[in-house]
Amino acid sequence: MSYSKISDLKTLIRADSSDKIGHGHVRRDLVLATKIKNVSFASVRMQGDIFSEINYPKTELKTLEISELIRLINDENFELVVLDHYGIDYDAQKAISEQTKAKILSFDDDYRRHYCDILLNVNLFAKPKMYENLIPKTAEVWCGQNFLLVRDEFYAEKKIKRAKIYDFFIGFGGTDILNISGKIAEILLAKSAKIALITTSANANLAKLKILADKNENLSLFINSNQIAKLMNESKSLIIQSSSFVNEAMVLGANFTAVKTADNQTEIYKWLKSNGFKTYKSDEILQVLKYF
């Protein structure tokens, strides 16, 4: 089974991004979009979003109301609606199903209840059996290696042997609300480590990171980079958020430490820990690195 089953369906992807909720949902949806021939996006505009990076037909929703989304689905006759949004719960999904002709594909990261035709969990920890009482009996569960949403550049980079330029790669998403990147970088710079730190222009702490990079020649700051796979491959070790970064690191076969920064990363945190990977909570990693 693979994404080919939905590739010919007229599809609407509903997801948001901002400097507060991050960019991860939209970024993984952009990977999914490459597998669908006729795809559009719908988002509510928010501060620090990456709506401008969506190079597909797109609609700016005025509200978070499900009624507005339902009107769009019916007006455009979408055959499939992809919901990658924690705010669209079971009842909202059921309303979409009952008031449109579209099938529903729901993303899930932490074993929530969904009313859908297809349940998609792109995390390595995902277990289909966990959804037996969480989705309709007729729904399909998609998870495992065939459904990882990792950009092609990571598979290509896996085949390339590069010199290790950096001691550490630091990646905590596009916004890094907790400013973990900067705190980790300061500790490692004190140990004379050479660092590649990636972030985006939506990071509220970007000015602080720039000052830190200006003061330390061992810190290379990459903003809105499109060479993340290459930078990972050029690094001896990765310190990354427990998110899609983990799938990317696994594809590369990289040495990594994962850090849990949000509640929706609890399941992947537990899976990594139980399988012997280095993983810590955000309040632990700084103490661990001080004695690294």
Side-chain angles (χ1 to χ4, degrees):
M1 193 183 298
S2 69
Y3 289 108
S4 60
K5 184 171 182 177
I6 63 172
S7 63
D8 292 325
L9 299 178
K10 184 178 182 181
T11 300
L12 177 67
I13 297 177
R14 173 71 183 93
D16 291 332
S17 60
S18 75
D19 54 9
K20 291 185 178 180
I21 65 174
H23 299 163
H25 293 274
V26 170
R27 291 207 182 280
R28 69 182 179 183
D29 295 332
L30 287 169
V31 181
L32 175 61
T34 65
K35 305 177 186 300
I36 302 171
K37 297 174 184 176
N38 185 352
V39 62
S40 301
F41 279 72
S43 300
V44 173
R45 298 302 308 274
M46 300 181 185
Q47 183 176 337
D49 66 22
I50 54 171
F51 191 76
S52 62
E53 295 184 30
I54 300 175
N55 295 318
Y56 294 92
K58 53 193 176 184
T59 298
E60 294 184 27
L61 296 174
K62 296 179 180 178
T63 70
L64 291 168
E65 295 296 324
I66 292 301
S67 57
E68 184 182 2
L69 178 59
I70 288 173
R71 283 195 299 273
L72 175 61
I73 295 167
N74 287 329
D75 288 346
E76 299 295 330
N77 295 313
F78 286 107
E79 299 170 286
L80 176 71
V81 178
V82 175
L83 301 174
D84 192 1
H85 201 294
Y86 294 136
I88 303 179
D89 61 10
Y90 178 94
D91 291 334
Q93 294 167 20
K94 192 169 188 291
I96 293 169
S97 179
E98 291 175 344
Q99 297 178 48
T100 74
K101 296 179 181 179
K103 291 184 178 298
I104 296 176
L105 184 155
S106 292
F107 272 82
D108 182 80
D109 296 304
D110 50 4
Y111 301 130
R112 301 187 186 200
R113 189 173 176 232
H114 294 271
Y115 193 92
C116 59
D117 299 283
I118 300 170
L119 188 289
L120 175 61
N121 189 322
V122 300
N123 297 287
L124 290 166
F125 66 79
K127 297 178 181 178
K129 288 184 178 180
M130 294 292 290
Y131 291 104
E132 286 182 357
N133 298 313
L134 296 176
I135 59 176
K137 294 186 181 300
T138 56
E140 297 180 24
V141 178
W142 289 7
C143 62
Q145 286 292 129
N146 289 338
F147 297 102
L148 290 183
L149 289 177
V150 175
R151 298 192 301 278
D152 290 342
E153 66 192 76
F154 286 91
Y155 292 100
E157 195 66 34
K158 182 180 181 179
K159 301 174 184 177
I160 303 172
K161 188 173 183 179
R162 297 190 185 275
K164 302 303 181 184
I165 300 172
Y166 307 101
D167 295 310
F168 294 95
F169 168 98
I170 300 176
F172 282 80
T175 56
D176 187 15
I177 300 168
L178 301 176
N179 193 28
I180 297 293
S181 297
K183 295 173 183 176
I184 289 174
E186 287 182 334
I187 293 172
L188 295 178
L189 287 168
K191 300 175 184 291
S192 300
K194 193 166 185 180
I195 300 167
L197 192 159
I198 62 109
T199 189
T200 72
S201 51
N203 189 331
N205 296 290
L206 185 56
K208 294 179 182 178
L209 291 175
K210 287 181 176 179
I211 291 172
L212 187 62
D214 288 342
K215 291 181 178 179
N216 294 273
E217 62 180 15
N218 278 351
L219 175 58
S220 297
L221 181 62
F222 298 89
I223 305 168
N224 302 324
S225 175
N226 59 2
Q227 294 188 315
I228 293 175
K230 179 174 179 288
L231 291 169
M232 283 186 175
N233 201 13
E234 291 176 336
S235 303
K236 296 176 184 177
S237 185
L238 319 180
I239 302 178
I240 54 177
Q241 183 174 263
S242 295
S243 61
S244 58
F245 277 122
V246 171
N247 288 352
E248 294 164 354
M250 296 285 265
V251 166
L252 286 175
N255 174 38
F256 70 91
T257 297
V259 182
K260 176 181 176 290
T261 61
D263 290 340
N264 64 351
Q265 297 166 13
T266 298
E267 293 299 329
I268 192 167
Y269 168 81
K270 291 192 296 186
W271 182 85
L272 288 167
K273 206 167 190 64
S274 65
N275 283 275
F277 292 96
K278 291 178 287 186
T279 184
Y280 302 96
K281 296 177 181 178
S282 58
D283 58 351
E284 298 173 334
I285 187 62
L286 301 180
Q287 292 302 316
V288 169
L289 290 176
K290 286 179 181 178
Y291 301 100
F292 183 80

